[in-house]
Amino acid sequence: MKISIEWLSDYIEVSDDIAKVAHTLTMAGLEVEGIDYRDLSFENVIVARISAIDAHPNADKLRICSVNAQDEQYSVVCGDLKVNIGDIVPLALPGAKLSGHKIKKSKLRGVESDGMLCSEKELGLTEESSGVMILPDDSLLGASLADVLTSSSSQIKIADSCTVKKAQGSGGYSDSIFEVGLTPNRPDCLSVFGTARELAALTGKKADFPEIILKESPRTSEADIAVEIKDPSLCGHYSARVIKGVKVERSPLWIRKRLEAAGVRAINNVVDVTNYVMLELGHPLHAFDLGRIEGGKIVVRKAGEMETLKTLDGVERKFTGEELLICDNRKPLAIAGIMGGDHSAVTTETSDIVLECAYFTPETVRITSRKLGLHTESSHRFERGVDPLGVERAINRAAQLLASLAGGEISSGTVEVIPASYQKREILFRSHRCNDILGINIDENEATGYLKDLGMELVKSGHGYEVSPPSYRVDIEREIDLIEEIARLKGYSSIPVEKLSGSMPSVHAHEMALDLMQVKRFMANAGYDEVVNYSFTSPDELDRLAVPSQDILRNTIKILNPISEELSTMRSTVIPGLLNAAAINIKKQNKELMLFETGKVFLSGNSHYSEGLRLCALMTGEKAPLLWKKGTDIFNLKGSLENLLDLLNLRDYTFTNCSDISYLHPGKGAKVFSGDIELAVIGELHPSVVENYDLGQKLFIFDLDLGAVNKVRGEGKSFKDIPVYPFVERDVALLVDKNVDLSKIMESFRQKERKLLESVEIFDQFEGESIGEAKKSIAFRLRYRCFERTLTDEEVNKLHDSIVKGVVEESGATVR
């Protein structure tokens, strides 16, 4: 939110040290994210009256204006054809600097000009202007423009409540705009006066709001308008006030300047007043054209199904029946708390208006705003919670300003409907509990003093106080909230830093959680790039992944209030997010990919929900130079998985071929087991899934259950001495069927004389016509070693023949 210091100064004395004010607010939780210093110089800009206007002899779109400032007479060429004789205007004389340009005496189309008649935009007062600025009739001719803008007799002031701060030095004025970042729990500070109120509590000064004095006509508002609330649970207070005979026109400079400083565009004096009071008090209002309200009645009700309303932004809105609307007897007029309708809007033809001010429940405005994708300054405040008791002050303040700016007569009284009265909250506060929480000793009088400075009422009760927060502090609900307020005003820097004390409970190594950062570092060091996706996903992703209807992955958890349909369920697998990331990269011609993601997956059971931690990795593209014509294959990915399992102290596992994984290529997938516990699946992605994700190339993937790994992995690495005696190696080639499970043959080798057999590795594979189409030759290298002596060739040969014979008998293989 943008806060003008000039505006803020209407309600509280603000220090000239703007940076200090910003620091005070920031340290109390109202972070000032930036300061826009605005210093305007009006040196050599004076007030003058147009005494005569003549046509320019050489240009149809220019005129020659004779202007006088006390005893001085000037001739100025002007391009604004709407100025009239008698208008009082700002005159920039030679030497003045406007927007970085120095004004000089010059000729325009052959006619000499003594200066320039200035618009508000040229003076830097507003971002938009429609012509030369017209000054108040009582402005002193020849005076500096800066003096006129800050004069108490000028129309820039209304009821002594709106002032302009004069700049240091002469010939200008200044303002500073704070960009304040507010957390959602502080809607009470979404206004200029709310910020003044907060600053008063922080500095010990007093924040005063100007007295609201209304001159009402004998005719009552009830004579022209009635109000009915159909659903009291969504609207707790609705107030309407009628003002008749208004003149809708452009707002004066002071209000336009303040609106623009707050980032709000000026429209006309009626609309500008409603926006001004919203920014001033934090309570949104709306003005209707009374003549467009059929039946003279406002009805607050839910929308009908397929009912529509063209809103002020020109968009035709369609409703589902859940939205809260402001209507007349026949049609919608506005979306409650969000935006008005085009049909009932105030225009230059409007003479009678109805001011609306209400309290809508935050939930209904929030839901409607998100459903329609329509976020406004009004909805921003209602969503967070406005002051339930602020309706009367806001509507009366708006009526006061409208009577000053637009004329008209204020009908007496308001038409109010209050279905439920406001219930004051009472919270028990104990000073000893405050000290326990904050870790410092704050005197009870000091603590209660802070609460009183924040506008809270305190009544002594037993060993504590019953505290009633003001109605605008909708965020104060519990004792801990009161303690937080005391900490803010005391200053967080006053809370000492204490080291933690106490002993840590002992944890056995096998009970310790898996080090996820260690896993991520390993994958990154292995050349993989990490992907991070939402835990929310679309239910359609499981269809793209070809997951069967009865698969456990279909037991997803649906989100009650999803952001969108694409993010409406909790993911049951990490794979779709990874494939989507791969698809985006491949589409952008980044086809050599090594990606991984770690994250939780969520499943729904019969009576409970479960979470699991997974690591999913994929590899695709040409790993070797194109000349070699050798791309990535499953063994590259398998090597990464094996190295990771080794890092996690897991060595007793097996790869088992399988064809029941729907998203893997038939015959090119495997499961990894440790005993009976499934740890992972690995394989080539099914061609249909490749097509569903528009990948266009082979892709290999593994999905590792880190929770299962953590249950079965070893307690730590073991170490043994470096061998003193040499090893002896023997090779053997076995002729086996093509579809044989090599893991079983490897296991058969390891079961034979494990004491001297140190390792078994596959180092070659051969297929060809010479050995038959249904056969393949696998070459194994066996390493033997004794840690107590050197082995002889004779005993190695004898042991090797025995092991090979046993493997051949068990597997049915043939020695080549």
Side-chain angles (χ1 to χ4, degrees):
M1 179 181 177
K2 294 182 178 181
I3 299 291
S4 163
I5 298 302
E6 174 215 312
W7 194 350
L8 188 68
S9 299
D10 285 351
Y11 318 111
I12 186 173
E13 181 185 349
V14 181
S15 169
D16 290 334
D17 190 343
I18 300 301
K20 183 178 179 181
V21 176
H23 178 75
T24 299
L25 291 173
T26 299
M27 296 309 293
L30 278 67
E31 183 180 3
V32 179
E33 298 173 342
I35 305 176
D36 180 10
Y37 294 97
R38 300 182 180 182
D39 292 306
L40 301 178
S41 173
F42 297 141
E43 189 174 356
N44 290 328
V45 181
I46 62 173
V47 177
R49 177 187 283 115
I50 300 175
S51 57
I53 300 177
D54 298 312
H56 194 290
N58 303 318
D60 295 335
K61 294 184 179 181
L62 295 176
R63 294 197 289 178
I64 304 171
C65 297
S66 298
V67 296
N68 63 76
Q70 288 185 338
D71 299 330
E72 297 292 331
Q73 191 78 19
Y74 303 93
S75 178
V76 180
V77 178
C78 176
D80 184 358
L81 304 182
K82 295 182 292 184
V83 294
N84 298 301
I85 296 174
D87 286 345
I88 297 179
V89 296
L91 169 63
L93 298 173
K97 289 184 179 180
L98 302 178
S99 303
H101 299 286
K102 189 173 183 178
I103 303 301
K104 299 178 180 179
K105 197 171 185 177
S106 59
K107 286 187 177 182
L108 296 177
R109 301 293 296 272
V111 176
E112 193 171 80
S113 180
D114 294 330
M116 182 177 75
L117 303 185
C118 307
S119 68
E120 294 167 2
K121 183 177 180 180
E122 289 163 338
L123 292 168
L125 294 170
T126 61
E127 295 180 3
E128 297 179 4
S129 58
S130 58
V132 171
M133 179 182 183
I134 307 300
L135 295 172
D137 293 336
D138 61 353
S139 301
L140 180 63
L141 298 183
S144 167
L145 177 64
D147 293 336
V148 172
L149 293 180
T150 57
S151 171
S152 60
S153 63
S154 169
Q155 291 181 12
I156 297 217
K157 262 191 138 187
I158 289 186
D160 293 327
S161 65
C162 307
T163 61
V164 176
K165 186 177 181 181
K166 193 168 183 178
Q168 297 293 330
S170 61
Y173 78 89
S174 67
D175 191 12
S176 299
I177 312 297
F178 283 177
E179 184 73 43
V180 182
L182 288 174
T183 52
N185 68 318
R186 292 306 304 274
D188 59 298
C189 290
L190 279 170
S191 64
V192 182
F193 184 68
T195 304
R197 197 167 47 206
E198 183 75 4
L199 190 60
L202 295 169
T203 60
K205 297 179 180 179
K206 187 178 180 182
D208 290 316
F209 194 79
E211 183 182 3
I212 299 173
I213 301 175
L214 299 180
K215 184 179 179 182
E216 297 177 315
S217 67
R219 184 180 179 86
T220 65
S221 294
E222 291 179 341
D224 294 296
I225 200 72
V227 174
E228 180 185 2
I229 298 177
K230 293 280 190 181
D231 196 335
S233 64
L234 303 181
C235 178
H237 189 168
Y238 194 97
S239 182
R241 183 183 275 279
V242 175
I243 303 177
K244 309 196 79 172
V246 300
K247 184 179 180 181
V248 181
E249 58 186 4
R250 194 185 190 201
S251 295
L253 172 65
W254 70 266
I255 193 170
R256 287 185 283 115
K257 183 171 63 66
R258 287 187 169 181
L259 290 177
E260 287 188 3
V264 176
R265 182 172 62 91
I267 298 174
N268 59 53
N269 52 0
V270 175
V271 176
D272 291 349
V273 162
T274 61
N275 286 333
Y276 183 90
V277 175
M278 176 187 68
L279 295 171
E280 181 182 46
L281 292 174
H283 207 120
L285 302 96
H286 189 69
F288 298 106
D289 187 328
L290 177 60
R292 294 175 179 262
I293 301 177
E294 295 189 29
K297 185 176 183 180
I298 288 178
V299 181
V300 184
R301 62 168 174 83
K302 280 191 174 182
E305 289 189 20
M306 304 306 293
E307 198 168 15
T308 62
L309 171 67
K310 185 178 181 181
T311 47
L312 289 171
D313 58 359
V315 177
E316 191 79 20
R317 309 283 177 180
K318 294 182 180 180
F319 306 117
T320 63
E322 295 300 318
E323 302 84 358
L324 188 66
L325 302 181
I326 310 300
C327 311
D328 59 19
N329 277 335
R330 190 180 66 86
K331 63 186 180 302
L333 303 174
I335 306 172
I338 301 177
M339 184 177 283
D342 181 69
H343 174 75
S344 59
V346 173
T347 67
T348 54
E349 306 299 320
T350 301
S351 61
D352 302 332
I353 65 171
V354 176
L355 269 180
E356 164 206 88
C357 191
Y359 174 80
F360 303 111
T361 56
E363 294 80 6
T364 186
V365 177
R366 187 183 307 119
I367 292 171
T368 301
S369 175
R370 290 185 180 179
K371 186 177 294 184
L372 298 177
L374 185 59
H375 184 81
T376 63
E377 290 283 351
S378 176
S379 68
H380 186 77
R381 287 162 174 79
F382 275 120
E383 287 178 22
R384 286 154 176 77
V386 299
D387 182 0
L389 300 184
V391 172
E392 182 180 2
R393 178 162 63 169
I395 199 169
N396 288 340
R397 173 63 166 167
Q400 176 197 29
L401 292 177
L402 275 172
S404 299
L405 300 180
E409 293 185 343
I410 305 173
S411 297
S412 62
T414 56
V415 181
E416 285 190 303
V417 179
I418 309 175
S421 59
Y422 173 74
Q423 299 297 318
K424 184 183 292 187
R425 289 159 290 165
E426 292 185 347
I427 305 169
L428 176 64
F429 171 74
R430 298 159 294 176
S431 59
H432 69 85
R433 179 61 176 161
C434 175
N435 290 335
D436 290 343
I437 293 292
L438 299 181
I440 55 178
N441 290 317
I442 301 180
D443 182 75
E444 184 175 294
N445 291 332
E446 183 183 5
T448 55
Y450 288 138
L451 298 178
K452 290 175 183 177
D453 289 342
L454 291 168
M456 303 189 191
E457 299 177 4
L458 284 77
V459 177
K460 187 69 175 176
S461 175
H463 297 291
Y465 292 85
E466 291 293 341
V467 180
S468 296
S471 57
Y472 51 80
R473 288 303 303 268
V474 296
D475 59 312
I476 305 295
E477 298 177 344
R478 302 170 297 164
E479 184 181 29
I480 194 67
D481 298 327
L482 300 174
I483 295 172
E484 181 183 359
E485 292 302 294
I486 292 171
R488 284 198 316 112
L489 268 65
K490 177 69 175 177
Y492 293 121
S493 59
S494 65
I495 300 175
V497 177
E498 296 286 352
K499 292 183 178 180
L500 293 175
S501 61
S503 59
M504 295 294 291
S506 59
V507 179
H508 295 294
H510 66 277
E511 295 175 346
M512 294 180 63
L514 178 144
D515 187 348
L516 191 58
M517 286 306 300
Q518 182 187 33
V519 172
K520 290 184 177 184
R521 282 194 296 268
F522 168 82
M523 296 299 292
N525 291 337
Y528 291 81
D529 295 310
E530 184 177 10
V531 172
V532 179
N533 287 296
Y534 288 121
S535 295
F536 313 130
T537 187
S538 168
D540 296 338
E541 291 291 351
L542 295 179
D543 295 331
R544 298 175 70 192
L545 199 61
V547 176
S549 59
Q550 301 303 317
D551 195 285
I552 190 174
L553 295 181
R554 291 284 183 177
N555 296 339
T556 56
I557 301 171
K558 292 180 174 57
I559 300 170
L560 294 178
N561 186 23
I563 299 173
S564 65
E565 181 62 26
E566 288 73 24
L567 299 172
S568 62
T569 59
M570 303 298 290
R571 66 184 178 188
S572 58
T573 172
V574 181
I575 297 174
L578 208 57
L579 296 182
N580 282 317
I584 292 171
N585 278 272
I586 291 172
K587 186 177 181 180
K588 295 182 178 181
Q589 302 303 309
N590 183 19
K591 297 184 177 183
E592 285 70 45
L593 298 172
M594 295 172 65
L595 305 177
F596 82 95
E597 180 175 8
T598 60
K600 287 187 176 182
V601 296
F602 308 86
L603 292 171
S604 174
N606 294 329
S607 59
H608 66 282
Y609 299 110
S610 62
E611 297 181 13
L613 184 62
R614 314 288 293 201
L615 164 65
C616 185
L618 66 79
M619 186 181 286
T620 185
E622 297 290 339
K623 191 173 180 62
L626 293 177
L627 181 64
W628 294 6
K629 301 299 181 185
K630 177 177 174 57
T632 298
D633 62 26
I634 189 62
F635 296 107
N636 300 122
L637 190 68
K638 180 173 179 284
S640 296
L641 177 58
E642 289 174 325
N643 290 336
L644 175 59
L645 294 176
D646 181 66
L647 173 75
L648 298 176
N649 303 320
L650 183 62
R651 298 174 182 82
D652 188 14
Y653 58 87
T654 58
F655 286 80
T656 303
N657 291 334
C658 64
S659 58
D660 60 344
I661 304 172
S662 60
Y663 53 83
L664 295 184
H665 196 298
K668 297 185 179 181
K671 292 183 178 180
V672 183
F673 287 93
S674 176
D676 296 331
I677 298 178
E678 183 180 320
L679 303 179
V681 295
I682 183 172
E684 180 182 335
L685 202 64
H686 197 289
S688 66
V689 179
V690 171
E691 183 178 351
N692 290 343
Y693 282 90
D694 196 22
L695 296 169
Q697 62 189 52
K698 288 184 178 182
L699 189 146
F700 306 95
I701 192 166
F702 75 70
D703 184 14
L704 178 64
D705 185 343
L706 292 175
V709 170
N710 197 47
K711 292 179 181 178
V712 299
R713 69 193 184 108
E715 295 186 10
K717 290 183 177 293
S718 59
F719 298 89
K720 55 186 177 182
D721 293 336
I722 296 175
V724 176
Y725 300 98
F727 60 82
V728 179
E729 292 182 338
R730 293 288 186 269
D731 297 342
V732 61
L734 299 181
L735 194 64
V736 298
D737 294 335
K738 270 191 175 182
N739 60 354
V740 71
D741 189 343
L742 294 180
S743 64
K744 293 183 178 179
I745 297 180
M746 294 287 288
E747 186 63 27
S748 181
F749 270 117
R750 294 191 181 104
Q751 290 176 357
K752 308 299 180 182
E753 298 291 340
R754 289 187 178 181
K755 185 176 180 181
L756 297 180
L757 180 60
E758 187 175 65
S759 65
V760 181
E761 294 180 350
I762 296 174
F763 69 89
D764 191 26
Q765 175 177 312
F766 172 74
E767 296 179 21
E769 295 180 0
S770 61
I771 60 173
E773 293 183 0
K775 298 289 185 178
K776 61 183 176 181
S777 174
I778 306 296
F780 297 88
R781 177 161 293 158
L782 285 71
R783 175 176 291 183
Y784 302 94
R785 189 198 303 266
C786 178
F787 288 86
E788 299 171 353
R789 58 185 174 82
T790 301
L791 294 173
T792 64
D793 285 342
E794 182 180 353
E795 61 181 326
V796 169
N797 291 338
K798 182 178 179 181
L799 177 58
H800 179 71
D801 292 342
S802 173
I803 291 175
V804 171
K805 180 180 179 182
V807 171
V808 167
E809 291 176 351
E810 289 183 11
S811 64
T814 304
V815 178
R816 289 188 66 194

